[in-house]
Short mmCIF file of all heavy atoms in Angstrom, two decimals:
data_model
loop_
_atom_site.label_atom_id
_atom_site.label_comp_id
_atom_site.label_asym_id
_atom_site.label_seq_id
_atom_site.Cartn_x
_atom_site.Cartn_y
_atom_site.Cartn_z
N ASP A 1365 174.90 3.45 11.40
CA ASP A 1365 175.04 3.17 12.85
C ASP A 1365 174.58 4.36 13.69
O ASP A 1365 173.91 4.22 14.72
CB ASP A 1365 176.50 2.86 13.16
CG ASP A 1365 176.96 1.53 12.55
OD1 ASP A 1365 176.04 0.71 12.25
OD2 ASP A 1365 178.17 1.33 12.41
N ALA A 1366 174.93 5.56 13.25
CA ALA A 1366 174.50 6.76 13.99
C ALA A 1366 172.98 6.88 13.99
O ALA A 1366 172.34 7.21 15.01
CB ALA A 1366 175.13 8.01 13.38
N LEU A 1367 172.40 6.58 12.83
CA LEU A 1367 170.94 6.63 12.75
C LEU A 1367 170.30 5.60 13.67
O LEU A 1367 169.28 5.86 14.34
CB LEU A 1367 170.52 6.39 11.30
CG LEU A 1367 169.01 6.50 11.00
CD1 LEU A 1367 168.52 7.91 11.31
CD2 LEU A 1367 168.74 6.18 9.53
N ALA A 1368 170.89 4.41 13.79
CA ALA A 1368 170.34 3.36 14.66
C ALA A 1368 170.44 3.78 16.14
O ALA A 1368 169.51 3.56 16.94
CB ALA A 1368 171.08 2.05 14.44
N ARG A 1369 171.59 4.39 16.50
CA ARG A 1369 171.75 4.82 17.89
C ARG A 1369 170.72 5.91 18.26
O ARG A 1369 170.16 5.92 19.35
CB ARG A 1369 173.18 5.35 18.11
CG ARG A 1369 174.23 4.24 18.18
CD ARG A 1369 175.53 4.77 18.75
NE ARG A 1369 176.08 5.88 17.98
CZ ARG A 1369 176.87 5.74 16.93
NH1 ARG A 1369 177.25 4.53 16.52
NH2 ARG A 1369 177.32 6.82 16.28
N VAL A 1370 170.50 6.82 17.36
CA VAL A 1370 169.51 7.87 17.62
C VAL A 1370 168.13 7.26 17.79
O VAL A 1370 167.33 7.66 18.66
CB VAL A 1370 169.53 8.92 16.48
CG1 VAL A 1370 168.35 9.87 16.63
CG2 VAL A 1370 170.83 9.68 16.50
N ALA A 1371 167.82 6.25 16.98
CA ALA A 1371 166.51 5.59 17.10
C ALA A 1371 166.37 4.88 18.46
O ALA A 1371 165.31 4.90 19.10
CB ALA A 1371 166.32 4.60 15.96
N GLU A 1372 167.46 4.23 18.93
CA GLU A 1372 167.44 3.57 20.24
C GLU A 1372 167.24 4.58 21.38
O GLU A 1372 166.49 4.34 22.33
CB GLU A 1372 168.74 2.79 20.44
CG GLU A 1372 168.86 1.56 19.56
CD GLU A 1372 170.20 0.85 19.76
OE1 GLU A 1372 171.01 1.38 20.57
OE2 GLU A 1372 170.42 -0.21 19.14
N GLU A 1373 167.94 5.73 21.26
CA GLU A 1373 167.76 6.76 22.29
C GLU A 1373 166.31 7.25 22.33
O GLU A 1373 165.74 7.48 23.40
CB GLU A 1373 168.71 7.92 22.02
CG GLU A 1373 170.18 7.56 22.24
CD GLU A 1373 171.10 8.72 21.91
OE1 GLU A 1373 170.54 9.77 21.49
OE2 GLU A 1373 172.32 8.57 22.06
N ARG A 1374 165.73 7.42 21.15
CA ARG A 1374 164.33 7.84 21.11
C ARG A 1374 163.42 6.81 21.77
O ARG A 1374 162.54 7.15 22.58
CB ARG A 1374 163.92 8.05 19.66
CG ARG A 1374 162.47 8.51 19.50
CD ARG A 1374 161.99 8.30 18.09
NE ARG A 1374 162.04 6.87 17.74
CZ ARG A 1374 161.74 6.40 16.53
NH1 ARG A 1374 161.45 7.23 15.55
NH2 ARG A 1374 161.81 5.10 16.29
N ASP A 1375 163.64 5.54 21.45
CA ASP A 1375 162.82 4.48 22.07
C ASP A 1375 163.00 4.44 23.58
O ASP A 1375 162.04 4.22 24.34
CB ASP A 1375 163.20 3.12 21.45
CG ASP A 1375 162.85 3.03 19.98
OD1 ASP A 1375 161.98 3.82 19.54
OD2 ASP A 1375 163.46 2.19 19.28
N GLN A 1376 164.25 4.66 24.06
CA GLN A 1376 164.50 4.65 25.51
C GLN A 1376 163.78 5.82 26.21
O GLN A 1376 163.23 5.67 27.30
CB GLN A 1376 166.01 4.72 25.77
CG GLN A 1376 166.39 4.62 27.25
CD GLN A 1376 165.99 3.28 27.84
OE1 GLN A 1376 166.12 2.24 27.18
NE2 GLN A 1376 165.49 3.30 29.08
N VAL A 1377 163.81 6.98 25.55
CA VAL A 1377 163.11 8.14 26.13
C VAL A 1377 161.62 7.86 26.23
O VAL A 1377 160.96 8.18 27.22
CB VAL A 1377 163.39 9.39 25.28
CG1 VAL A 1377 162.46 10.54 25.69
CG2 VAL A 1377 164.85 9.82 25.42
N ILE A 1378 161.05 7.23 25.21
CA ILE A 1378 159.62 6.91 25.23
C ILE A 1378 159.32 5.89 26.34
O ILE A 1378 158.33 6.00 27.07
CB ILE A 1378 159.19 6.37 23.85
CG1 ILE A 1378 159.30 7.48 22.80
CG2 ILE A 1378 157.77 5.83 23.90
CD1 ILE A 1378 159.05 7.01 21.38
N ALA A 1379 160.19 4.88 26.49
CA ALA A 1379 159.99 3.86 27.53
C ALA A 1379 160.07 4.48 28.93
O ALA A 1379 159.27 4.18 29.83
CB ALA A 1379 161.02 2.75 27.39
N ASP A 1380 161.06 5.39 29.13
CA ASP A 1380 161.18 6.07 30.43
C ASP A 1380 159.94 6.90 30.73
O ASP A 1380 159.47 6.95 31.88
CB ASP A 1380 162.41 6.97 30.45
CG ASP A 1380 163.71 6.16 30.42
OD1 ASP A 1380 163.65 4.95 30.75
OD2 ASP A 1380 164.76 6.73 30.06
N ALA A 1381 159.39 7.54 29.72
CA ALA A 1381 158.18 8.34 29.92
C ALA A 1381 157.01 7.45 30.33
O ALA A 1381 156.22 7.79 31.23
CB ALA A 1381 157.84 9.12 28.66
N GLN A 1382 156.87 6.28 29.71
CA GLN A 1382 155.79 5.36 30.06
C GLN A 1382 155.95 4.84 31.49
O GLN A 1382 154.98 4.73 32.25
CB GLN A 1382 155.76 4.21 29.05
CG GLN A 1382 155.31 4.63 27.66
CD GLN A 1382 155.36 3.49 26.67
OE1 GLN A 1382 155.98 2.44 26.93
NE2 GLN A 1382 154.75 3.69 25.49
N LEU A 1383 157.20 4.50 31.88
CA LEU A 1383 157.44 4.04 33.25
C LEU A 1383 157.10 5.13 34.28
O LEU A 1383 156.55 4.86 35.35
CB LEU A 1383 158.90 3.61 33.41
CG LEU A 1383 159.29 2.31 32.71
CD1 LEU A 1383 160.80 2.06 32.86
CD2 LEU A 1383 158.51 1.12 33.31
N SER A 1384 157.42 6.37 33.93
CA SER A 1384 157.10 7.48 34.83
C SER A 1384 155.59 7.63 35.00
O SER A 1384 155.08 7.87 36.11
CB SER A 1384 157.70 8.78 34.30
OG SER A 1384 159.11 8.71 34.25
N LEU A 1385 154.85 7.46 33.92
CA LEU A 1385 153.38 7.53 34.00
C LEU A 1385 152.83 6.41 34.89
O LEU A 1385 151.92 6.62 35.70
CB LEU A 1385 152.78 7.45 32.60
CG LEU A 1385 153.02 8.68 31.70
CD1 LEU A 1385 152.50 8.39 30.29
CD2 LEU A 1385 152.31 9.89 32.28
N ILE A 1386 153.38 5.20 34.72
CA ILE A 1386 152.92 4.06 35.53
C ILE A 1386 153.23 4.31 37.01
O ILE A 1386 152.39 4.08 37.89
CB ILE A 1386 153.58 2.75 35.05
CG1 ILE A 1386 153.08 2.41 33.64
CG2 ILE A 1386 153.28 1.61 36.02
CD1 ILE A 1386 153.82 1.23 33.00
N ARG A 1387 154.45 4.81 37.30
CA ARG A 1387 154.85 5.08 38.68
C ARG A 1387 153.97 6.17 39.29
O ARG A 1387 153.57 6.09 40.45
CB ARG A 1387 156.32 5.51 38.71
CG ARG A 1387 156.86 5.84 40.10
CD ARG A 1387 156.73 4.68 41.04
NE ARG A 1387 157.27 4.99 42.35
CZ ARG A 1387 157.02 4.30 43.44
NH1 ARG A 1387 156.22 3.23 43.39
NH2 ARG A 1387 157.56 4.64 44.59
N ALA A 1388 153.64 7.18 38.50
CA ALA A 1388 152.77 8.24 39.00
C ALA A 1388 151.37 7.70 39.32
O ALA A 1388 150.76 8.07 40.33
CB ALA A 1388 152.68 9.37 37.97
N ALA A 1389 150.85 6.80 38.48
CA ALA A 1389 149.53 6.20 38.73
C ALA A 1389 149.55 5.36 40.00
O ALA A 1389 148.61 5.38 40.81
CB ALA A 1389 149.11 5.36 37.53
N GLU A 1390 150.64 4.60 40.21
CA GLU A 1390 150.76 3.78 41.42
C GLU A 1390 150.79 4.66 42.67
O GLU A 1390 150.14 4.36 43.68
CB GLU A 1390 152.01 2.91 41.34
CG GLU A 1390 151.93 1.82 40.29
CD GLU A 1390 153.23 1.04 40.18
OE1 GLU A 1390 154.23 1.50 40.80
OE2 GLU A 1390 153.26 0.00 39.49
N MET A 1391 151.56 5.73 42.61
CA MET A 1391 151.66 6.62 43.76
C MET A 1391 150.33 7.32 44.03
O MET A 1391 149.94 7.53 45.18
CB MET A 1391 152.77 7.64 43.55
CG MET A 1391 154.17 7.02 43.49
SD MET A 1391 155.48 8.25 43.33
CE MET A 1391 155.44 8.97 44.95
N GLN A 1392 149.59 7.68 42.99
CA GLN A 1392 148.28 8.28 43.17
C GLN A 1392 147.32 7.30 43.85
O GLN A 1392 146.54 7.68 44.73
CB GLN A 1392 147.73 8.73 41.81
CG GLN A 1392 146.39 9.47 41.90
CD GLN A 1392 146.50 10.76 42.68
OE1 GLN A 1392 147.52 11.44 42.61
NE2 GLN A 1392 145.46 11.08 43.44
N ALA A 1393 147.39 6.02 43.46
CA ALA A 1393 146.54 5.01 44.10
C ALA A 1393 146.91 4.84 45.57
O ALA A 1393 146.04 4.69 46.44
CB ALA A 1393 146.67 3.68 43.36
N ALA A 1394 148.24 4.87 45.84
CA ALA A 1394 148.67 4.76 47.23
C ALA A 1394 148.18 5.95 48.06
O ALA A 1394 147.77 5.81 49.21
CB ALA A 1394 150.19 4.67 47.30
N ILE A 1395 148.20 7.15 47.45
CA ILE A 1395 147.70 8.33 48.16
C ILE A 1395 146.21 8.20 48.46
O ILE A 1395 145.73 8.53 49.55
CB ILE A 1395 147.99 9.60 47.33
CG1 ILE A 1395 149.49 9.89 47.35
CG2 ILE A 1395 147.20 10.79 47.86
CD1 ILE A 1395 149.89 11.06 46.49
N GLU A 1396 145.43 7.71 47.49
CA GLU A 1396 144.00 7.54 47.72
C GLU A 1396 143.73 6.52 48.83
O GLU A 1396 142.84 6.70 49.67
CB GLU A 1396 143.33 7.09 46.42
CG GLU A 1396 143.34 8.18 45.35
CD GLU A 1396 142.75 7.69 44.04
OE1 GLU A 1396 142.42 6.47 43.95
OE2 GLU A 1396 142.62 8.49 43.09
N THR A 1397 144.55 5.44 48.87
CA THR A 1397 144.40 4.45 49.95
C THR A 1397 144.71 5.08 51.31
O THR A 1397 144.00 4.85 52.29
CB THR A 1397 145.34 3.26 49.70
OG1 THR A 1397 145.05 2.68 48.43
CG2 THR A 1397 145.18 2.22 50.80
#
Side-chain angles (χ1 to χ4, degrees):
D1365 292 339
L1367 184 62
R1369 286 195 302 273
V1370 170
E1372 289 178 358
E1373 291 178 359
R1374 181 198 61 184
D1375 295 339
Q1376 184 63 39
V1377 169
I1378 294 174
D1380 292 341
Q1382 290 177 346
L1383 289 175
S1384 298
L1385 291 174
I1386 294 172
R1387 180 58 179 164
E1390 291 176 351
M1391 295 183 71
Q1392 184 63 36
I1395 289 176
E1396 292 176 356
T1397 302

